[in-house]
Amino acid sequence: MGGPGGMGMGGGNPDQGSGMNQQGMMGQYGYRGIDRDGDGLVSQEEVREHQRLLERMQADWEQADRNGDGQVDVGEFAAFEQTYRNRQEE
């Protein structure tokens, strides 16, 4: 059941489940994107790493915005992030 963290059924978050609004979905997606090790917690190092990714995206905007429409969609973000992570491993 839902506890203080709001996980599970009855967690007190009306946006959970099939009726979740777009803002709630983006919040969960963003959180999971920062929580790189998937432990359900965000560490300071994970925040620093995410910040570095966003700073790199800003610096290399043309590479991130592959179709040149001035916005980065989910697919473009995922591709940019993968390229960034591959470079970090080299």
Side-chain angles (χ1 to χ4, degrees):
M1 298 298 284
M7 301 296 287
M9 299 295 292
N13 185 347
D15 291 335
Q16 287 185 338
S18 61
M20 180 178 290
N21 65 25
Q22 185 176 9
Q23 183 179 6
M25 288 172 33
M26 290 305 292
Q28 282 193 352
Y29 176 78
Y31 190 89
R32 286 191 307 261
I34 297 170
D35 177 22
R36 299 302 302 165
D37 62 8
D39 67 356
L41 304 169
V42 174
S43 69
Q44 288 182 348
E45 180 54 35
E46 287 170 324
V47 170
R48 281 191 289 270
E49 180 62 24
H50 193 72
Q51 184 174 7
R52 286 190 289 264
L53 169 65
L54 294 177
E55 288 169 354
R56 174 59 71 183
M57 180 180 287
Q58 186 174 18
D60 294 336
W61 185 257
E62 292 79 22
Q63 182 183 359
D65 180 20
R66 292 178 176 212
N67 66 6
D69 68 354
Q71 300 178 34
V72 174
D73 63 32
V74 171
E76 290 170 324
F77 184 89
F80 184 85
E81 182 178 28
Q82 186 62 48
T83 299
Y84 172 81
R85 301 232 180 267
N86 289 343
R87 287 181 185 162
Q88 296 300 324
E89 294 173 2
E90 292 177 355

